[in-house]
Each structure stands twice: as C-alpha cells, then as structure tokens.
Amino acid sequence: MSIAPLPADRHGRPLGVLRLSLTGRCNLACPYCCPDDADPPDLLTLEQQVRLIRVGCGLGIHTLRLTGGEPLLSRRLLPLLQRVTEGRATPAHPLQGLRDIALTTNGVLLTEARASALWAAGLDRITISLDAVDGPLAARMAGLRGGAEAGTRLVQQVLAGLEAARAAGFDPRSGALKLNAVIQRGVNDDQLLPLVELARQRRVELRLIEYMDVGNRNGWGPEQVVPAAEMIQRIHAHWPLEALGRGIGGTARRWRFSDGHGAVAVIASISEPFCGDCNRLRVTADGQAFTCLFAATGVDLRPHLQDEHRLRQRLVALWHDRHDRYSEQRAETPPDRPHAEMAYLGG
Ligand code: SAM
Ligand code: SF4
C-alpha cells in the first residue's frame, strides 16, 4: 500500500519528531514543572502507542522521544521499546523510518540494570536532567523536602545514573548521553558555571534551558529567565567558546569549547524562538495531541486509535491545520491564555 506523504503545515514545516509522554506522574516535584500526583484516566495501551508511532513514521516521523512526567516510572517503557525495535529490524516495516529513539529522565531510577535493559531494548539516546550541583539548591529545584542532605543524595543518584548509562553503552561522544538543566534567575543561576564544570569533567554535553512559561502553576515571570546570550557570555568568560549553530528542526544552539573539552548548548525558546522550523508533535500519556508546547488544549486521538486509516487521516488533518508559533508571538504581543502543564506534555 502506498502512503501519501504528509503535507507541511501552514507555515511550511514538515513533521519530524514525536514526543510521546508515557506518564504525567513523577518521583520529583520540581516547582518550575509541578507534576500531577496521579495519571489521567485512560492511558494509551501498548497497542495504541505502537500504532501511533507506526502511523507517525509513515507520515515522516524520524525521531521518537519518550518522556513524562518521569518515564522510568512507566511499566510500558521497556515493552514499548522492544516492540518498536522489533519493527525497526523488520525489512520494509514503517518503523524502519525511525532513525533515533531518545529518552528524557531525571535519572533517579536509572540503575545499572535499568540502563542495560534500555540499551538492550534498542534505546539510542538518554538525556538526564540535573539543575544544580549544590545540595540545598538541587533539593529546591527538585521540590524535595530534606534540604542539603536530600539534595546531595539526589545529585549522587543522578550522577550514578549518568555513569550507569555510560557503562551500559550510551556514549556521550556520539551524542547518546547528555545533561539538561533549567536555569531560573534568582534560584539556581549561580549553578551555571558549576554545572558546566561538572559536564566538562564528566565529558557530557550540557543543554541549558531557558525557564519557560509552560503550565499555569509555576508562577513564571520573564524576570526569572536568564537569556541564553547571558549564559553564553558568562561561560565564555571562563571557558572560551566557538559557535556551532543550531541544526534545522533542532532546539539546541551549540557551542564548542575552544580548549577541545566538548560542547555546551542553550535552548533559547524565550529569547530566540525557533518556531520557524519546529517539526515536533507531542502526544500525552492519555492520547492528547499537541502541536505546540505552549498550546492550551490538545486534540483527543483516542477515538481514532483503533484504526490505522482513521488515525492517519486525523494526523494529516491536524498537521495540515497547524499554525502555532507561540514563542514568536510571545515576543510580539504576549498572549494571555492558559497553557497545558509541562509534566503532562512531556517537554
Ligand atoms: N522527568 C523527566 C525530566 O525531568 O527529565 C522528563 C520530563 S521533563 C517535563 C522534560 C524536561 O523539561 C526536563 O529537562 C525539565 O527540566 C524541563 N522542564 C520542565 N519544566 C520546565 C520549564 N518550566 N521551563 C523549562 N524547562 C522545563
Ligand atoms: Fe518531574 Fe521532570 Fe517535571 Fe522535574 S521536570 S517534576 S523531574 S517531570
């Protein structure tokens, strides 16, 4: 059966990346994210998830990012990876179009056994989030009670997770292992250089994320954002940098350390929006499709998920109608509207 290619959206942007959230729950409670305590009812089944990915691949998806909430809390993670990997290995299977499967995790549950199982199941890349090196600040950024002791334990757990992933085969030199950090002015901006130093020591690329106005619960304000240009200037004063740029459809603008110690990146969704080539479709754990991280509502895919043909038609119509460019509009006229929560959307 030949499949009609998916037309670009109303701004000429093709579909390329599926960010699939496996759960809205989390084992941390980062105040900038504010996850829910419980999952929404009617989570997608494994069959529905696989069907969504398969149909998505037929429409141009080449990258799958599994996220949450905390995806390592989901029992579906390994079975889903195994099913997708089987498809990728089958000649002429639509899943052969999938070039890359990535996971975003807070790393707390990333034991050696877990990391090895993920590698064996066919995961290509892991990004681990860590917002501070200092114990008390790590606790504050993760919403942990227990102050310095809890924060120091968290940092140790996350770094153990990072090393478990490296030992399992996720090689930072090929981009298969990275660190993410959200920088919030007045809270953890003094962690910028310590985080960069840690990443350099551990030989992993660090992605510094501008604090974003996702969700309605975190009390976001523009004064809490440290613009990427300022972050880069501060790093450059310590470790000179050379610009590498941002790939088409990518989120991160990368810089190489002039001394040869790897690279660092910024995700400047607030100060330098990249809506112009955004190729991402987000689907929540209960099957709501969002064509923008900053959208208020999604489209319920569940009525279409039993049948590949119907699902394909719905996704084609959804992408065809897509005209979101919220981050660019924010800079022009800040719209006053609610946003879906980050832990529900998956980042
Ligand atoms: N629990 C996993 C984790 O923390 O990596 C995956 C889900 S989390 C929602 C995905 C990413 O979104 C994390 O790197 C997190 O730091 C980031 N994030 C959450 N809320 C954010 C916000 N308001 N602004 C910027 N990044 C945010
Ligand atoms: Fe959990 Fe990740 Fe949100 Fe932090 S950012 S609360 S680890 S989902």
Side-chain angles (χ1 to χ4, degrees), residues 24-35 68-70 105-106 129 131 141-142 182 342-343:
R25 290 182 301 123
C26 191
N27 47 349
L28 298 181
C30 309
Y32 58 79
C33 174
C34 303
E70 175 45 46
T105 171
N106 60 37
S129 303
D131 303 323
M141 289 301 283
V182 178
M342 184 66 132

Side-chain angles (χ1 to χ4, degrees), residues 103-149:
L103 176 81
T104 311
T105 171
N106 60 37
V108 172
L109 299 172
L110 197 56
T111 57
E112 284 179 16
R114 212 70 192 282
S116 299
L118 290 168
W119 178 256
L123 183 68
D124 297 307
R125 293 192 291 125
I126 300 186
T127 305
I128 299 178
S129 303
L130 179 67
D131 303 323
V133 174
D134 169 74
L137 272 179
R140 183 165 167 201
M141 289 301 283
L144 291 180
R145 293 199 199 93
E149 206 179 307

